[in-house]
Structures are given as C-alpha cells and as structure tokens.
Amino acid sequence: MGLGVLEPLASSSVPGTSFVYDDASRQVEVGSAALKYDRNSREPIILVPQPSDDPNDPLASSPSLNWSLWKRDSILIILSLLSVIASTLSPLLAANTVTLSLLLKREFTQTALLTGWHLCGVGVAGFLFVASARVWGKRHLYLLGTFLIIVSSAWGGAGGLNYKSLVWSRIMQGVGLAPFEALVNASVGDLYFVHERGTRMALSNLALFGGAFFTPVLVGKITNTIGWEWTFYFVAIFTGVLFPFVIFFVPETAYRREDSLNTDFNTVSSEFSHNSQGKPLKPQTVDIVIPRKVSFARSLLPFNGRKTDESLLKLILRPLPLFFHPAIFWACLIQGAMIGWTVMIGIVLAAIFLGPPLWFNEVKTGYMYTGPFIGAILGFIVAGLLSDWSAKLMIRRNKGVYEPEFRILLVIPQLIFGCAGLYGFGITSNHVTHWFLPDFFFALEVMGMVIGAVASALYIVDAHRDIAVEAFTCLLVFKNMFSFGLTWSAYNWLIKAGVLKTFYVIASVQVAICLLSVPMYILGKKNRAFFAKHEILKMTGLW
C-alpha cells in the first residue's frame, strides 16, 4: 500500500505508476545509461515518459533537437491565449440574456438556449474532432477551430436580430471552440513530462475557464455603449490577430512514441527488470535509425502523416464505452458538474438581480463576473502551487514511486471552496440586499471549479494517458450536454423551487460528488490494474 492507495492482488506493473525519484531498495542507479533524467533539480528526476532521440519528438530534451522547454512553453502560451478567446464564446450572452430577450421578442428560456445550442455544438463536434486528432494529430484541428471562430463570430454579429441565424452562428462557434476544449489539455500531455505538467495544466485550465468569467464584465459594457453585435465582432478580430501565430508557431504535438519509452504505461520496473539474484539486468542495445528533422516548411502543413492505423469510425465511437470506466466517469462528475452549476448561475444571474432592490441592467450584471474572474485566478494559483508540490511530497514519502492518485488530493480544496460557494450563493441570493456577498460566493464556486478541473485533467493524463484524448472527449461531452440540459430547466426550476432550495440541493449533490474521490483514491490503482487486464475498448472491439 502506498500512502492509502491499495495495491492490486497481482504484483505486475500497473500503467500510470512510475519511478520518479530513485530509491536504493530498487537498485536502479542514478546515471544509468538505460534511463534519462532531469538533473536541474536538487535530486535527479527520471523522465516520464522517456524521450527519444528523434528530433521530431516534442520531448526530445537536447537543445540541438530544437524541442527545448522554451519552445514547448511558447506553443502552450499561444494555445492558451487562443483558449482564452475561444472560452469567451460560451458566456458571450450571459450578461445580455434579458436584453436580447427583449430585442428578439423571445421568452427568457429561448434566449438562454442560444447558449444551450452552442454547448450542444461543442459536445457533438468533440466526438468527430477527437477521432480526427487520433488519426492525423491536433494541428489541423487547431487551425480549423481558429478559422471557424473567426467566421462564425463575424456571422453572428452581421446576422442582426434574425433568431435562426443567431442560433446557427452560435452552433458554429461551438464547433470552433471544440478543439480547444477537447485537445489543449491533451497537448500538455504531449509536450511535458509528468513532473512538469502540474503548473502548466493549471495554466491551460485557467485559459479555458478564466477568460470565460472576464467576458461578461466586458460584454455588458460593450452592449450598453456600442451594441451587442460588437461582442461578436471583437472575438473575430482578436482571433484573427492570433491566427498567424497558430499557422507559424504551433507545430504538430502528437508523436508516435515507442512502447518501451512510455514508462507511465509500462513502468520502469518492468522495462528494466531484475534477474533472479535481484540485480538489475543491463538493457539490451538496439540499433535505432534516427529520422531526419522535419523542415520548417513541412511543419506548416495541416497534416504530417497518420498517428495511428486505426479505423476512423472506431475512433469516433471509442469514447462511448469509456463513460462506464470508473475513473473517467469520476472525472466527468468532478469537472462537469461544477461547470454545469456555473453555467446555471450565469443563466439565472440576470433574472435574480433584475428586480428590486438592485434593478440590475446588462452592465451591472456583467460586473458581477468580476468576482468569478478573481476566483478563477485564485483557483489557478492554488492548483498550480499545490499540484506539483503535493505530488512531489507524496512521491518522496512513497520511496520515489509516483501514483496518479496523488493528484486526487486537489479535490479537497475543491470541496472546501466550491461547495461553500454554492451554499453561500443560495443563501445570500435568496433575499438579496447587496451584490457583494453573492458575488463573493460565486467567486468561491468558480475557484473550486477550476481546482477540480485541474485535478481531474491531471489524473486522466497521468493515470490513463494512452486513452487521454478519448477521456477528454467524455469530459467535453458530459459537461456540455449537462450544461445544455440546465439551460432548458434552470430558470423554470428556480421559479418553482426558489433560489434557496435550488442551491441547497445542487450544493449537497456536489458534496456527494466530491466524496466519491475517497474510494477513487483508495481503489484507483486497483481500477487501473483491472482495466489494464480487461481493456474496455478491446472488449467492445474499438481498439
């Protein structure tokens, strides 16, 4: 047992478990030619996964191979900036819902469904795009998504008050957003070793969620001064500015790695095993032909070869059975439920504060998102500081062995901040007398949401990196379809049950979801071992 994580009955290696710090009991010597290390810290860290000598491998660490840390970070920064803009699309109408209802002469729920259909577009497109990413990589989807955001945003602004045109432009905005929601976290797994991912995963999640909460602050003011159409136009303009950076500075990050190098799939102990006397076997030397580096001109192409020989149809269907995988379903609940509650708050926010005594318009409703934006920043800071620090602390206490379940500890601050935010928002919004307390608790809820999103994403990447892309598809579909359902019912639910009872219920549900992390932490390794032997995708003929 490693710090409460139960060992499987069989003693064979378990995918996801890896040796990060050397320990004398395992007789693996630092400086062994068999393994590559990061020697920039106080003690050498075994690189997981192991980098190859292929100059086209994003994890090739030699500066001469041109995949240095600064290059990988610059790719992530560009994708994160685009994610900030793309993430503005979902809450683009949050502060304008009541205003647009009056302009379009539609019921509140119909106007709210402009966000709902957008989320539906994200979820449906995710199935197709993730399968395409498996076959041809991620670059072509980042290019397509950026292009679609530009076109659909210009379309949404130019369409005026034509409801059907606005619906379809919102759906296409969702399709453009899908690659960034589905693939940026997976790109973190492509670009970084296990010990480098925590802070960067927090950054990518801040980009996806932080921008979403600053958007309504601007949207309300823009609508009030120059018209709601410009909220669409500005998205098209800023995305257009970033488009050349995607074309020239975001190469393909997907790489077909040798199985022997995926030490988080098959642990170091199985690759570099011991003989009957317990002494480490010397690694076999194999003559490896190192490919030539892809030229800059060729790296600009949307495609640079297949990343798998599997059927596209199978890949499209592959995420469906993964909803029955306990770890992935847990991640869907941890991330998706909190995102759904956040969308729900955004939809009903204007309705709650529309009447007396505050009489909020779209500008004041937009300003209410200042608190959530600060909460997203704080969530990023907490997740960034705790994720790698807590993992390294647990690794040292576990004699240098890393278990992905160590990432689940981040759910503790999610439980504290997120659930306190939900309970507090319901109590203070029931008989609202001032905007500050509801906004404060909204900030706590968003803080918990960001921390939970980082926790679930890190666990999926570290524990199930071989199916991480499909797993993120499940997360994308679940959170968007769950949020889509809430756009249908949230307002009516609030009218019938009242603010206080509604938020008591959803906060209690969220507490129960967070408590599922206890069995997930204890039994997570057993779960990984079971599904390594009984692969759900092979059982269904999809692998």
Side-chain angles (χ1 to χ4, degrees):
M1 178 186 293
L3 303 180
V5 178
L6 293 181
E7 295 288 337
L9 296 177
S11 59
S12 59
S13 61
V14 179
T17 299
S18 52
F19 299 150
V20 177
Y21 296 113
D22 276 326
D23 182 72
S25 65
R26 288 194 310 275
Q27 305 183 43
V28 181
E29 297 180 0
V30 175
S32 167
L35 294 174
K36 295 178 182 178
Y37 293 76
D38 180 355
R39 302 182 184 278
N40 294 321
S41 58
R42 288 183 303 174
E43 51 188 313
I45 300 174
I46 300 172
L47 296 176
V48 181
Q50 286 282 287
S52 70
D53 294 321
D54 184 347
N56 304 303
D57 179 2
L59 295 181
S61 54
S62 171
S64 62
L65 300 182
N66 203 32
W67 279 93
S68 57
L69 184 59
W70 74 263
K71 177 178 179 177
R72 289 180 277 146
D73 281 343
S74 66
I75 294 169
L76 181 60
I77 288 171
I78 293 170
L79 291 177
S80 296
L81 287 173
L82 262 170
S83 296
V84 168
I85 297 174
S87 67
T88 66
L89 298 174
S90 295
L92 194 61
L93 304 180
N96 291 344
T97 306
V98 174
T99 302
L100 278 175
S101 294
L102 298 173
L103 292 174
L104 294 168
K105 299 178 181 178
R106 298 273 176 165
E107 294 180 358
F108 184 90
T109 299
Q110 286 183 299
T111 308
L113 281 172
L114 290 171
T115 298
W117 288 116
H118 162 83
L119 297 173
C120 190
V122 179
V124 173
F127 268 104
L128 301 175
F129 286 173
V130 169
S132 182
R134 272 290 198 183
V135 177
W136 294 293
K138 303 177 181 70
R139 174 173 163 80
H140 71 284
L141 293 169
Y142 290 139
L143 291 170
L144 177 63
T146 307
F147 176 77
L148 286 177
I149 290 173
I150 296 170
V151 173
S152 60
S153 298
W155 172 11
L161 296 176
N162 185 319
Y163 183 78
K164 288 185 178 179
S165 175
L166 201 53
V167 166
W168 281 105
S169 67
R170 290 291 284 159
I171 291 172
M172 292 307 298
Q173 282 184 323
V175 175
L177 169 60
F180 299 97
E181 276 210 14
L183 301 175
V184 172
N185 283 337
S187 289
V188 173
D190 294 339
L191 291 168
Y192 298 101
F193 301 104
V194 164
H195 71 283
E196 297 174 328
R197 290 177 191 160
T199 302
R200 291 169 176 91
M201 188 70 79
L203 173 63
S204 66
N205 278 277
L206 173 67
L208 283 169
F209 299 122
F213 296 109
F214 192 63
T215 302
V217 178
L218 300 176
V219 164
K221 188 65 176 177
I222 292 169
T223 299
N224 189 258
T225 52
I226 58 177
W228 66 269
E229 297 90 347
W230 276 95
T231 61
F232 286 82
Y233 292 146
F234 279 128
V235 172
I237 291 168
F238 289 121
T239 307
V241 170
L242 286 174
F243 199 16
F245 289 89
V246 182
I247 294 172
F248 293 107
F249 301 112
V250 180
E252 182 56 64
T253 63
Y255 177 74
R256 296 184 78 163
R257 194 175 305 281
E258 293 285 337
D259 289 341
S260 62
L261 298 175
N262 287 317
T263 52
D264 48 347
F265 297 171
N266 302 289
T267 64
V268 174
S269 59
S270 64
E271 279 300 317
F272 306 97
S273 55
H274 298 70
N275 62 18
S276 58
Q277 285 76 41
K279 296 181 179 180
L281 295 172
K282 294 182 179 180
Q284 297 179 348
T285 57
V286 180
D287 293 330
I288 300 175
V289 178
I290 299 175
R292 294 180 61 184
K293 185 177 182 297
V294 172
S295 66
F296 178 72
R298 187 178 173 187
S299 72
L300 298 180
L301 296 175
F303 305 94
N304 67 353
R306 290 179 69 98
K307 307 303 175 184
T308 180
D309 298 321
E310 296 173 274
S311 163
L312 179 63
L313 178 60
K314 285 186 177 182
L315 291 170
I316 292 172
L317 299 175
R318 186 176 285 179
L320 293 175
L322 291 181
F323 282 106
F324 298 96
H325 193 299
I328 294 171
F329 187 64
W330 167 85
C332 287
L333 291 174
I334 287 293
Q335 182 178 123
M338 283 294 283
I339 291 173
W341 310 138
T342 306
V343 171
M344 177 178 173
I345 292 175
I347 290 170
V348 302
L349 195 65
I352 291 174
F353 296 102
L354 184 64
L358 298 182
W359 299 103
F360 272 19
N361 59 11
E362 66 269 12
V363 177
K364 291 182 179 179
T365 303
Y367 289 161
M368 283 291 291
Y369 281 83
T370 305
F373 176 70
I374 295 172
I377 298 290
L378 293 175
F380 159 70
I381 294 172
V382 170
L385 291 176
L386 290 181
S387 56
D388 285 338
W389 174 82
S390 61
K392 290 176 181 177
L393 177 65
M394 299 288 280
I395 290 167
R396 289 191 178 94
R397 292 188 175 183
N398 202 34
K399 297 182 179 180
V401 178
Y402 171 70
E403 302 288 2
E405 284 69 34
F406 297 161
R407 302 292 195 183
I408 297 177
L409 295 178
L410 280 176
V411 176
I412 296 173
Q414 182 196 31
L415 173 64
I416 295 170
F417 295 115
C419 296
L422 287 170
Y423 279 118
F425 184 85
I427 294 169
T428 57
S429 299
N430 189 40
H431 296 292
V432 61
T433 57
H434 196 272
W435 60 267
F436 176 76
L437 284 178
D439 202 34
F440 172 76
F441 285 110
F442 193 8
L444 289 185
E445 189 272 342
V446 170
M447 187 176 175
M449 185 202 74
V450 171
I451 295 171
V454 173
S456 58
L458 280 171
Y459 184 71
I460 290 298
V461 168
D462 291 354
H464 303 284
R465 189 167 60 86
D466 55 331
I467 55 171
V469 174
E470 289 83 3
F472 282 122
T473 307
C474 293
L475 267 65
L476 179 146
V477 171
F478 179 88
K479 68 186 180 185
N480 283 287
M481 292 305 178
F482 180 62
S483 300
F484 175 55
L486 288 175
T487 62
W488 280 96
S489 57
Y491 183 70
N492 293 330
W493 189 11
L494 205 69
I495 294 297
K496 291 179 181 178
V499 176
L500 187 62
K501 184 177 180 180
T502 299
F503 278 91
Y504 269 176
V505 170
I506 66 174
S508 300
V509 169
Q510 187 59 43
V511 170
I513 290 172
C514 288
L515 292 179
L516 292 175
S517 301
V518 176
M520 193 68 241
Y521 179 88
I522 296 171
L523 301 173
K525 189 169 185 178
K526 283 180 171 286
N527 180 67
R528 286 186 282 126
F530 178 84
F531 282 99
K533 292 181 179 179
H534 308 86
E535 296 186 40
I536 191 169
L537 294 179
K538 287 186 177 179
M539 292 168 62
T540 54
L542 295 175
W543 191 280

